[in-house]
Amino acid sequence: MRLSVVLFLVASSAVLAGSVFLKTLVFPDESNNSYVEMVPQKPLNLGAFTLCMRVATELPNMEREIILFAYRTQDFDELNVWQELDGRYSFYLSGDGVMFKAPKLGPTETHMCVTWDSSSGAAAIFMDGRKSVTKMYRKGHRIRSGGKVIIGQDPDDYLGSFEAKQSFVGSISDVNMWDSVLSDSTIQDMNSGKRVPRGNVFDWESVELKVNGGAEVVNSEN
C-alpha cells in the first residue's frame, strides 16, 4: 500500500488559463487496499441527509455487490450505500437496509442521490434526477458521529478488513452531502448541472481527501 496522500483540493474546479478542471476519483482495479477517505466539514450526527454523487462503472450487474459509500464508527456501519447482487440499490443505517429498484449503473456517468429524514422515516433515491418510490425506514433513528467515511471499500471493522470482491471499480465524482433533505427540484437542478447550495457535510469543491492504495484523483477539463 502506498503512503496515504492528503489532498486539499480546493474547488471542484481549478481555473487555469481560462479552462475549468473537475476532479474525479478513479479506482482502476479490484483491490483490498484502494480507497479514499473523505474528511467531513462537521460531525456526522444526523437526523436527516441528502447524499449525491456521480458514478460510472463497468463492473457487471447481477454478479457482485458494489459499495458506493461507507461511513463506519468503531462498532457500526452507520451509513452504507450499495448496488446489491440482484441489481437493487440499498442503504443501511446500523442494521437492516432499505431497498429500491432503479436503473442500473453503467459505463457512462449516472447522477445518484439518496435522501432520508428521521422525523418521518421517508427514504428515497434519485437516478439522473428521477425519484424512486418513497419508503419508510428507521423513523426516529439518528446517525452517530465519530467515524470515518470511505469511498471504494466496505470496512468490516473500523477502517480495515477490506474485501477485493466488494471494492468499487470505476469513477466517482461530485460527492456532496447535506444535513437535510433537499427538495426534488434542487436535486433535479443538480443533475442538470445547475448551481445549487454546496453540501454542508461534504462539499466537493473543498473536501479534504486522503488517498490510499491504487486509487487516483484525476483532474479533467470541463
Side-chain angles (χ1 to χ4, degrees):
M1 179 185 296
R2 81 182 179 201
L3 294 176
S4 175
V5 180
V6 180
L7 300 169
F8 296 91
L9 298 166
V10 181
S12 79
S13 53
V15 180
L16 298 173
S19 297
V20 177
F21 292 85
L22 307 178
K23 65 175 181 281
T24 300
L25 307 181
V26 177
F27 303 89
D29 303 293
E30 283 189 350
S31 80
N32 62 3
N33 68 350
S34 297
Y35 66 93
V36 177
E37 179 186 346
M38 297 182 64
V39 180
Q41 299 173 200
K42 60 191 296 185
L44 274 75
N45 181 15
L46 303 174
F49 71 84
T50 301
L51 171 67
C52 296
M53 64 186 75
R54 299 186 188 274
V55 185
T57 182
E58 293 184 346
L59 286 172
N61 292 307
M62 311 297 286
E63 291 188 13
R64 77 172 185 75
E65 304 161 313
I66 302 174
I67 184 68
L68 299 171
F69 181 94
Y71 170 52
R72 184 177 175 88
T73 56
Q74 287 284 356
D75 299 313
F76 297 99
D77 290 322
E78 291 287 340
L79 170 58
N80 279 13
V81 181
W82 291 86
Q83 182 175 285
E84 299 283 348
L85 184 62
D86 63 5
R88 291 182 297 172
Y89 297 92
S90 63
F91 69 93
Y92 296 79
L93 302 178
S94 304
D96 293 339
V98 59
M99 306 284 178
F100 299 90
K101 292 182 179 179
K104 296 177 178 61
L105 299 174
T108 57
E109 203 170 67
T110 297
H111 185 253
M112 178 181 183
C113 292
V114 179
T115 66
W116 172 75
D117 180 12
S118 176
S119 64
S120 65
I125 66 170
F126 291 74
M127 304 298 284
D128 290 332
R130 301 184 66 182
K131 187 178 183 179
S132 72
V133 64
T134 297
K135 298 191 175 184
M136 297 295 104
Y137 177 60
R138 300 302 302 269
K139 181 177 180 179
H141 177 73
R142 193 165 190 92
I143 297 170
R144 290 159 286 203
S145 60
K148 301 283 189 182
V149 169
I150 299 298
I151 304 294
Q153 297 283 350
D154 172 39
D156 291 328
D157 56 34
Y158 190 62
L159 204 57
S161 297
F162 302 135
E163 297 180 27
K165 287 298 182 182
Q166 292 183 326
S167 65
F168 178 80
V169 181
S171 62
I172 294 179
S173 64
D174 207 17
V175 183
N176 291 282
M177 189 176 194
W178 295 259
D179 62 359
S180 62
V181 174
L182 300 183
S183 68
D184 294 5
S185 60
T186 299
I187 292 173
Q188 290 159 1
D189 285 346
M190 195 185 335
N191 170 63
S192 63
K194 295 179 181 178
R195 191 74 175 175
V196 302
R198 304 305 300 178
N200 63 351
V201 179
F202 290 111
D203 175 6
W204 194 242
E205 292 190 354
S206 60
V207 66
E208 178 186 339
L209 303 174
K210 298 181 180 180
V211 181
N212 295 267
E216 300 285 350
V217 177
V218 175
N219 291 319
S220 58
E221 187 172 351
N222 187 32

